[in-house]
Amino acid sequence: DAKTTQPPSMDCAEGRAANLPCNHSTISGNEYVYWYRQIHSQGPQYIIHGLKNNETNEMASLIITEDRKSSTLILPHATLRDTAVYYCIVRVHGSSNTGKLIFGQGTTLQVKP
Amino acid sequence: DVKVTQSSRYLVKRTGEKVFLECVQDMDHENMFWYRQDPGLGLRLIYFSYDVKMKEKGDIPEGYSVSREKKERFSLILESASTNQTSMYLCASSTPGDRWASGNTIYFGEGSWLTVV
């Protein structure tokens, strides 16, 4: 799976949009971009994933650049409960890498009142 | 809603004890996984199972075994607990990668914090 690069930390004001960037310049054509987050002492929580097109769900939006070398996770109205470590992962779908999920250092998002 | 439930959040066990960590998922997923997560080492795969009674070793299977008698339940067993097995253990599940066009998103439980003294 391709390597990802994220800033180690970011701050965001409560109620504002949080934009978390991720660089994955070596991504290959069949790799998906996934985002998870982990609140202290809890298991990772799936947020969203995408291949080429922008995606949106009830939690967030995922914007993937046209060349797919980077992406941005957008939390439209951040709350204090969104304070967590956010992980960007790229992975191939399929049985060949079943269970292989490599979390890098992630971005620690601190939402401030 | 997706639900992966781990039976114990916090456990303290003695060295040499046999430890069972239980996990249940309600999504009818074929794949189930056990990981451990340690500071600085990230998430490491211990074992996974792609069907009832089937199992495969992950990256760090030594000192662990697993059991999957029913599709919804996957157990991690520490035959003789040691202090270096003190960690947070995460259970997860997913559909097979080639089954759904949307892929095989992995869903995690809340984690079990095990301390071996």
Side-chain angles (χ1 to χ4, degrees), chain A residues 32 34 36 38 41-46 49 87 91-95 97-101 103 105, chain B residues 9 31 33 35 37 43 45 48 59 88 90 97 101-111 113:
Chain A
Y32 287 73
Y34 275 78
Y36 283 82
Q38 191 166 21
S41 299
Q42 296 183 21
Q45 179 187 23
Y46 165 75
H49 76 280
Y87 297 101
R91 61 192 293 260
V92 175
H93 285 167
S95 57
N97 73 334
T98 299
K100 297 291 185 182
L101 208 60
F103 282 13
Q105 295 304 308
Chain B
R9 278 290 270 150
N31 295 343
F33 313 89
Y35 300 86
Q37 187 175 30
L43 207 63
L45 181 63
F48 70 95
D59 298 320
M88 180 165 82
L90 289 162
S102 60
N104 56 341
T105 299
I106 296 176
Y107 296 94
F108 289 86
E110 286 292 295
W113 287 89

Side-chain angles (χ1 to χ4, degrees), chain A residues 22-36:
Chain A
C22 180
N23 182 285
H24 32 79
S25 57
T26 60
I27 193 169
S28 57
N30 60 348
E31 287 183 308
Y32 287 73
V33 180
Y34 275 78
W35 283 84
Y36 283 82

Side-chain angles (χ1 to χ4, degrees), chain A residues 1-101:
Chain A
D1 293 337
K3 182 178 166 54
T4 62
T5 304
Q6 299 176 253
S9 63
M10 290 181 65
D11 289 343
C12 178
E14 190 178 18
R16 305 297 291 267
N19 297 293
L20 293 94
C22 180
N23 182 285
H24 32 79
S25 57
T26 60
I27 193 169
S28 57
N30 60 348
E31 287 183 308
Y32 287 73
V33 180
Y34 275 78
W35 283 84
Y36 283 82
R37 72 180 182 184
Q38 191 166 21
I39 296 168
H40 183 61
S41 299
Q42 296 183 21
Q45 179 187 23
Y46 165 75
I47 301 173
I48 199 167
H49 76 280
L51 182 63
K52 295 180 187 176
N53 301 320
N54 298 338
E55 302 286 344
T56 295
N57 63 20
E58 64 279 3
M59 287 184 69
S61 295
L62 174 61
I63 309 298
I64 302 174
T65 58
E66 195 168 337
D67 63 6
R68 304 211 321 124
K69 291 179 186 273
S70 65
S71 61
T72 301
L73 178 75
I74 301 172
L75 308 178
H77 305 287
T79 71
L80 298 178
R81 286 179 292 181
D82 292 322
T83 293
V85 180
Y86 287 78
Y87 297 101
C88 168
I89 303 155
V90 292
R91 61 192 293 260
V92 175
H93 285 167
S95 57
S96 62
N97 73 334
T98 299
K100 297 291 185 182
L101 208 60

Side-chain angles (χ1 to χ4, degrees), chain B:
Chain B
D1 254 6
V2 164
K3 193 79 172 170
V4 178
T5 303
Q6 296 183 227
S7 56
S8 306
R9 278 290 270 150
Y10 301 96
L11 307 95
V12 179
K13 297 292 181 181
R14 294 194 180 280
T15 301
E17 273 193 78
K18 192 168 186 175
V19 181
F20 293 87
L21 298 179
E22 307 285 346
C23 175
V24 175
Q25 51 97 1
D26 65 358
M27 297 163 286
D28 201 35
H29 282 167
E30 286 81 359
N31 295 343
M32 294 189 75
F33 313 89
W34 275 105
Y35 300 86
R36 62 180 283 179
Q37 187 175 30
D38 302 284
L41 296 176
L43 207 63
R44 293 183 290 169
L45 181 63
I46 304 171
Y47 266 98
F48 70 95
S49 167
Y50 52 89
D51 202 350
V52 174
K53 297 192 186 294
M54 305 302 286
K55 61 185 180 185
E56 287 201 22
K57 293 179 180 179
D59 298 320
I60 51 162
E62 297 79 17
Y64 304 94
S65 61
V66 289
S67 171
R68 192 158 180 211
E69 297 296 318
K70 294 185 178 181
K71 189 176 185 181
E72 67 272 16
R73 188 179 297 271
F74 193 35
S75 302
L76 179 69
I77 302 153
L78 287 67
E79 296 290 343
S80 177
S82 64
T83 54
N84 63 11
Q85 293 178 309
T86 292
S87 184
M88 180 165 82
Y89 289 87
L90 289 162
C91 176
S93 72
S94 78
T95 56
D98 55 357
R99 180 170 174 178
W100 306 110
S102 60
N104 56 341
T105 299
I106 296 176
Y107 296 94
F108 289 86
E110 286 292 295
S112 297
W113 287 89
L114 172 67
T115 301
V116 182
V117 297

